Amino acid sequence: MTRDKVLKTVNMIFPVIGVGLMVAYGVCDTSCSSLRGTFLSVDLKMIGILYMAVLFVLTLPPVSRYDTSVNYLRTMMLSGALGGEVLLVQFQIVYDIYCPFCLAFGLCVVALFAANFTKMNKYLAIGAFVAGIAAFALFFKGSVLPLYN
């Protein structure tokens, strides 16, 4: 299998896994169910599902034929999300509550970023990474709700 076919497969499989993780997180009843987060008042689970759905659509033939534009969009999405994930992991560390679904979703973002890195415009990637950190610093609202048994 060629490198491009492997990359296309990775770009199709990890978004599906990411959507599955966010759906599973929605029915989570363990300690991580106390974590809540929004970005611009939209639940992070919904943003995660939409984000991964868009990444998946970018691999489909009608869209993927616009190679340069798709690569730039994928670079911005993955780099921005990686910047956001830095703050989301920091939030879990600060509150000492770790969500396996959220961390696995973050690993999907890292894996997608790593797989696509060689095709990325590095300046665009750095800018989007910084923008992702800034956006989450400004617009992320997180809370830890106490669980009573």
Side-chain angles (χ1 to χ4, degrees), residues 124-139:
L124 182 60
I126 291 168
F129 178 78
V130 171
I133 290 174
F136 269 79
L138 292 171
F139 303 116

Side-chain angles (χ1 to χ4, degrees), residues 36-50 136 139-142:
R36 298 282 183 267
T38 62
F39 184 85
L40 291 172
S41 300
V42 179
D43 188 332
L44 284 180
K45 289 186 293 278
M46 293 298 109
I47 290 173
I49 290 169
L50 180 62
F136 269 79
F139 303 116
F140 168 69
K141 301 283 187 239

Side-chain angles (χ1 to χ4, degrees), residues 58-78:
L58 291 178
T59 64
L60 300 178
V63 178
S64 65
R65 68 180 178 184
Y66 301 104
D67 194 38
T68 302
S69 298
V70 166
N71 281 338
Y72 285 155
L73 180 57
R74 185 178 289 118
T75 296
M76 289 187 296
M77 289 180 68
L78 291 173

